[in-house]
Amino acid sequence: MRIYGNRQLKTLPGLLTRPTSSKVREALFNIWQGRVTDSYWLDLCAGNGSIGAEALCRGASSVVGVEKSGKACDIIQANWQKLAHSTQSFQVLRGNILTILPSLIGRRFDLIYFDPPYASGLYLPVLTAIAELQLLATEGEIAVEHDEQYQPSREILSLTQCRQKHYSKTTVTFYC
């Protein structure tokens, strides 16, 4: 897999992770292009870490990734280590997303990307936790990737759906 600047990433063999398509990844970074530099980024259900890697390549100050798979975390760590500059920080957290989110209390993220397995049932619990724990910065935004059948809530506590983009069978819903 290649990302911004034609950099190659290690990936896991098989279907253990489902990477975000290059079309969706490119569209996301086009939408957020003026906001990535110097941002605090949270990559939830990070998979192979391609979204967080792209954020590092585009100048994010700090990237935190959360992933359940230990093998995937090792790949993410290696990829991000190779890409990060000395002025950037990153952290890879392994485990259940709903258990890990409370450990991030006190941190505010400018941009959050959330791409769980589509049938996981994690959408509402995770977005509710982000709102309750106040993990999103005041002017921050969350991008939630899902299939076209999922109907996301328009409002979740302090989060409000601000736009939605469709890419073939994939939809990205943004919350502010």
Side-chain angles (χ1 to χ4, degrees):
M1 169 177 283
R2 294 191 179 276
I3 60 165
Y4 184 75
N6 201 27
R7 294 173 172 102
Q8 189 165 354
L9 296 179
K10 292 180 185 177
T11 58
L12 288 170
L15 299 174
L16 183 60
T17 59
R18 178 190 41 81
T20 298
S21 73
S22 58
K23 179 180 181 178
V24 172
R25 192 173 67 241
E26 182 179 345
L28 173 73
F29 282 92
N30 284 339
I31 291 166
W32 281 351
Q33 67 182 337
R35 302 180 69 182
V36 178
T37 301
D38 297 326
S39 67
Y40 289 86
W41 186 286
L42 180 59
D43 187 0
L44 299 174
C45 299
N48 69 358
S50 63
I51 295 292
E54 187 99 18
L56 286 168
C57 288
R58 293 177 184 246
S61 290
S62 175
V63 176
V64 175
V66 177
E67 174 54 46
K68 189 175 183 178
S69 164
K71 289 180 182 180
C73 286
D74 292 342
I75 295 287
I76 295 166
Q77 183 76 27
N79 284 334
W80 291 2
Q81 181 72 44
K82 185 171 56 172
L83 298 171
H85 296 306
S86 60
T87 58
Q88 296 173 302
S89 67
F90 66 88
Q91 182 179 20
V92 181
L93 303 172
R94 177 182 177 213
N96 179 302
I97 190 170
L98 292 169
T99 303
I100 289 175
L101 285 175
S103 73
L104 299 174
I105 288 177
R107 297 174 80 172
R108 299 282 186 272
F109 296 93
D110 302 302
L111 301 168
I112 300 174
Y113 189 72
F114 179 39
D115 179 15
Y118 290 168
S120 67
L122 287 172
Y123 293 105
L124 188 57
V126 168
L127 290 170
T128 300
I130 290 169
E132 288 176 344
L133 300 170
Q134 299 177 359
L135 299 178
L136 187 65
T138 304
E139 300 296 319
E141 197 166 38
I142 303 170
V144 180
E145 183 179 325
H146 54 89
D147 66 13
E148 60 189 348
Q149 281 82 36
Y150 178 71
Q151 295 299 315
S153 301
R154 299 220 27 95
E155 289 188 20
I156 302 168
L157 301 175
S158 61
L159 303 175
T160 302
Q161 190 180 122
C162 47
R163 67 176 161 247
Q164 195 172 66
K165 301 289 184 178
H166 303 277
Y167 307 98
S168 187
K169 294 181 179 184
T170 301
T171 300
V172 180
T173 300
F174 294 84
Y175 289 91
C176 304

